Amino acid sequence: MKKRMIGLLLVTVLGTAMLAGGCKKGSQRELSQMQSVNESIEPVEMSDSCRNSYEIFVASFYDSDGDGIGDLKGVDEKLDYIEDLGADEIWLMPICPSPSYHKYDVTDYMAVDKSYGSVSDFKALVADCHKRGIRVLTDLVINHTSSEHPWFQKAKSYLEKLPKGAKADYGKCPYLKYYHFIKDDTDRTGYAKLSGTDYAYEARFWEGMPDLNLDQQKVRNEIAKVTQYWTDLGVDGFRLDATTSYYTGQNSKNIGFMTWLDKTVKRQNPGAYLVGEAWTDSMTYSSFYRSGIDSFFDFDFAGNDGFIAKTVRGNMKADDFGSSMVMMQDRIAKNSETGIDAPFYTNHDMARSAGYYSQDDKGEKTKFAQGLNLMMSGNAFLYYGEEIGMKGSGIDENKRAPMQWTADQKEKGMTKGPVGMEKFQMKFSPLDQQKKDPYSIYNYVRQAFRIRRNFPAVARGEVVVDQGLSNDKILVIEKKPKDTSLSPVVLVYNMSDKQQSIDLRKMAFPEKKLSGVLTVNQKEIELAKDQLVMPGRSIAVLTRD
Ligand code: CA
């Protein structure tokens, strides 16, 4: 309660600063636009009006015990940072025991990997997150297990003992049915041979990750036990790994399985949130919303070739970026009444964005791209380290480098990074330096998160493009929330690298008060006599009076 009042007070201060900034340049205006907005935040207290999600690779985040590997206590110690950044949800990449550094091959679904800590560390982390209004999602990796999982090991040792040419007796080893074993000596796509036997098994990613047989009721019962276990530990939902591989090439079966999964999890926790990874075309992942799963990551906009990067490079027109958002919104709405888009820009499988743009020494393109991502409707996801423009491309290990809290790699909490990670130089400064610079990538992202929290329509509004004012450089959209208690907002984007003037008298929407800004350098947005003057690569938030 106390926190909410502080939030409101700061918003009022912001309002005053903005008025002074918008109308005239005077002595009142001591703070820059960036700094003034940075001071304001409206706590959301677990409401559903916004979700700013922060993806964490635990091993590379913060090390609490000095072994060089990030851990759950380390995440707990950094909750002040996460909260101050403006995130209200964390997605932890897999934390269950696993032989790999990334842990996307689980050997025990109901435990925590020793290098990350213990189940009681996890409980403490969830409790501390909830005290701050931060939700916790864990990664649910159920397309496959590790080949070292006891289920697979039992099936494997049964088949290894089987005399050459003999048929497997599924009654004698129930775990055979947990996977897709076939008697086959051809090289079938997506299958790996079980050496020393006549059998092969489905393993879509690699031989160390045997695919589970999700048609089996026994496997579904195991999955339901797993989701119940983590629900009992307090998680607020799950990120679903590799949903297109549940039934490779059979999307109606994928939707069917996810319908079951959605019902199962929501029976256990009606408030649970599920977000699926379906790394495929948007026609397919929008159809997945039929399953009832709340969100799917919006791959069309993400990565080096996605709509965001294209727009920043000038290879996609401003108004086309707007119509793409509307198209996605329509596709989701066609498949679900409650589906919520999950925009993201990069994740642990993609090259980091600092390498996407040439001639970006000051990070202006890197910042603006984050603005385009974080101003999208839906539940926005940010991959750790992107808020400071960390680098990392090539092998996967490089994309999961240690969070750069400071330049001194020996400083407390700094992690070693995955074994096999190559040596490379970061392009932008570490966090401690960026914090001091109001125009850093960090402060830009922090401000974007604040705008999302202070103006719920940014995350919850339906996009309508102002066709009259939008063109190849300018995009003007209104966002109108379905929930009529939330006020609509207008976002004006100058996608070009030059200053542009927008005549607000010609705008189709009534929101004409400058209430929030995202600018990539010291040049500020000015509103005078209905003319909105915007520096290159800037975004303005307009509200009603
Ligand atoms: Ca550690």
Side-chain angles (χ1 to χ4, degrees):
M1 198 60 209
K2 190 180 157 209
K3 216 166 131 189
R4 177 165 288 276
M5 289 191 61
I6 292 168
L8 286 172
L9 184 71
L10 288 170
V11 168
T12 312
V13 171
L14 162 70
T16 313
M18 294 302 280
L19 272 176
C23 299
K24 59 172 194 260
K25 286 186 177 167
S27 57
Q28 278 173 291
R29 191 175 172 204
E30 285 165 358
L31 293 172
S32 72
Q33 283 184 339
M34 286 291 281
Q35 286 168 311
S36 60
V37 174
N38 279 347
E39 294 315 309
S40 75
I41 189 156
E42 177 68 5
V44 288
E45 289 173 16
M46 310 286 270
S47 86
D48 221 13
S49 63
C50 172
R51 277 172 192 261
N52 294 340
S53 215
Y54 189 60
E55 179 190 356
I56 298 175
F57 178 43
V58 176
S60 285
F61 197 60
Y62 193 82
D63 174 24
S64 74
D65 60 6
D67 66 355
I69 303 170
D71 41 52
L72 296 175
K73 277 187 177 157
V75 176
D76 210 340
E77 281 182 39
K78 283 292 167 186
L79 289 182
D80 276 347
Y81 169 73
I82 293 165
E83 186 178 18
D84 184 63
L85 178 64
D88 51 28
E89 181 170 272
I90 55 173
W91 150 28
L92 301 177
M93 283 166 60
I95 59 170
C96 293
S98 163
S100 69
Y101 81 88
H102 52 70
K103 313 206 187 300
Y104 277 101
D105 43 346
V106 175
T107 54
D108 181 356
Y109 286 100
M110 294 193 269
V112 167
D113 193 279
K114 278 198 184 99
S115 65
Y116 284 3
S118 64
V119 171
S120 58
D121 292 344
F122 182 76
K123 278 191 196 166
L125 172 61
V126 170
D128 290 341
C129 283
H130 287 178
K131 271 182 223 157
R132 296 165 186 260
I134 296 172
R135 296 178 177 83
V136 180
L137 307 182
T138 51
D139 222 309
L140 192 63
V141 188
I142 51 170
N143 171 67
H144 51 262
T145 66
S146 164
S147 58
E148 291 177 29
H149 193 288
W151 302 335
F152 189 80
Q153 284 295 313
K154 282 174 191 159
K156 180 174 169 254
S157 82
Y158 172 83
L159 289 173
E160 281 168 350
K161 284 178 200 146
L162 205 63
K164 258 293 198 217
K167 252 190 119 189
D169 181 349
Y170 280 64
K172 286 213 169 119
C173 179
Y175 294 106
L176 289 171
K177 285 190 176 171
Y178 276 41
Y179 300 92
H180 293 281
F181 286 103
I182 49 165
K183 207 169 171 184
D184 193 1
D185 51 12
T186 61
D187 275 322
R188 199 189 281 215
T189 310
Y191 281 72
K193 288 207 178 110
L194 190 62
S195 64
T197 75
D198 306 330
Y199 284 79
Y201 58 94
E202 191 189 17
R204 293 285 163 180
F205 291 91
W206 71 290
E207 59 180 26
M209 293 179 171
D211 280 50
L212 281 165
N213 183 351
L214 301 173
D215 274 338
Q216 289 294 316
Q217 192 54 48
K218 276 188 176 168
V219 171
R220 293 194 182 196
N221 293 347
E222 299 276 11
I223 292 169
K225 272 198 275 180
V226 169
T227 55
Q228 184 69 62
Y229 175 82
W230 291 98
T231 299
D232 291 345
L233 289 178
V235 300
D236 302 284
F238 301 98
R239 177 262 185 188
L240 311 177
D241 182 56
T243 64
T244 55
S245 303
Y246 287 160
Y247 297 87
T248 301
Q250 302 179 72
N251 284 331
S252 59
K253 288 199 81 174
N254 284 330
I255 293 169
F257 174 73
M258 284 189 276
T259 305
W260 170 83
L261 184 61
D262 185 71
K263 282 200 182 111
T264 301
V265 172
K266 284 168 188 170
R267 218 174 6 241
Q268 296 166 348
N269 174 12
Y273 172 68
L274 295 170
V275 53
E277 177 207 26
W279 197 345
T280 180
D281 59 279
S282 57
M283 279 301 276
T284 304
Y285 64 75
S286 56
S287 74
F288 281 13
Y289 280 91
R290 284 179 221 156
S291 62
I293 299 292
D294 303 272
S295 294
F296 286 87
F297 292 114
D298 204 342
F299 279 89
D300 267 9
F301 287 81
N304 198 9
D305 304 316
F307 296 157
I308 291 171
K310 271 188 189 161
T311 303
V312 172
R313 286 193 195 102
N315 295 337
M316 186 172 192
K317 292 174 181 167
D319 46 2
D320 288 343
F321 185 77
S323 10
S324 300
M325 291 195 283
V326 172
M327 189 180 70
M328 198 56 219
Q329 169 177 291
D330 291 347
R331 281 188 184 164
I332 294 172
K334 210 180 80 191
N335 288 294
S336 163
E337 280 182 14
T338 53
I340 300 165
D341 197 7
F344 74 108
Y345 177 38
T346 61
N347 68 17
H348 60 279
D349 289 322
M350 293 177 174
R352 285 192 179 271
S353 65
Y356 289 3
Y357 310 107
S358 56
Q359 297 174 329
D360 192 35
D361 295 346
K362 291 178 186 161
E364 295 185 359
K365 294 175 191 172
T366 302
K367 285 180 224 173
F368 187 54
Q370 285 297 355
L372 295 186
N373 176 39
L374 297 176
M375 290 303 103
M376 280 179 71
S377 296
N379 296 336
F381 284 75
L382 177 79
Y383 182 43
Y384 85 96
E386 290 292 283
E387 72 272 33
I388 53 171
M390 269 169 56
K391 247 181 90 172
S393 61
I395 56 170
D396 282 344
E397 287 84 345
N398 298 353
K399 303 164 187 168
R400 303 160 187 175
M403 175 69 184
Q404 299 294 295
W405 302 103
T406 173
D408 181 0
Q409 305 300 314
K410 290 189 183 117
E411 187 71 21
K412 183 186 177 293
M414 293 294 286
T415 61
K416 293 183 299 200
V419 173
M421 190 185 86
E422 293 162 337
K423 274 199 174 144
F424 55 92
Q425 287 291 313
M426 289 293 157
K427 182 173 178 179
F428 301 109
S429 341
L431 177 75
D432 55 354
Q433 290 175 39
Q434 289 203 25
K435 272 191 161 178
K436 295 175 201 156
D437 171 9
Y439 300 100
S440 64
I441 300 167
Y442 165 76
N443 272 312
Y444 184 96
V445 169
R446 187 170 175 269
Q447 179 169 13
F449 264 170
R450 272 159 173 70
I451 287 175
R452 286 183 77 81
R453 290 177 66 159
N454 289 339
F455 305 99
V458 171
R460 289 291 170 266
E462 272 185 72
V463 176
V464 181
V465 176
D466 186 327
Q467 301 291 353
L469 280 181
S470 300
N471 55 42
D472 56 342
K473 297 184 179 72
I474 299 293
L475 173 65
V476 182
I477 57 171
E478 189 187 46
K479 292 198 179 198
K480 219 176 224 167
K482 278 185 198 161
D483 175 354
T484 50
S485 71
L486 301 174
S487 311
V489 294
V490 162
L491 296 180
V492 185
Y493 302 74
N494 175 6
M495 307 286 196
S496 77
D497 56 2
K498 306 221 163 48
Q499 179 179 295
Q500 304 285 338
S501 257
I502 296 100
D503 187 347
L504 292 186
R505 288 170 303 179
K506 293 182 182 157
M507 195 171 74
F509 313 120
E511 292 81 18
K512 290 186 174 124
K513 181 187 165 195
L514 182 60
S515 295
V517 296
L518 280 173
T519 49
V520 295
N521 53 36
Q522 280 88 341
K523 291 179 194 152
E524 296 185 352
I525 298 174
E526 304 285 345
L527 174 59
K529 289 185 183 161
D530 303 316
Q531 295 299 310
L532 188 64
V533 182
M534 300 179 69
R537 301 195 175 99
S538 63
I539 303 173
V541 182
L542 307 179
T543 59
R544 289 186 200 185
D545 278 322

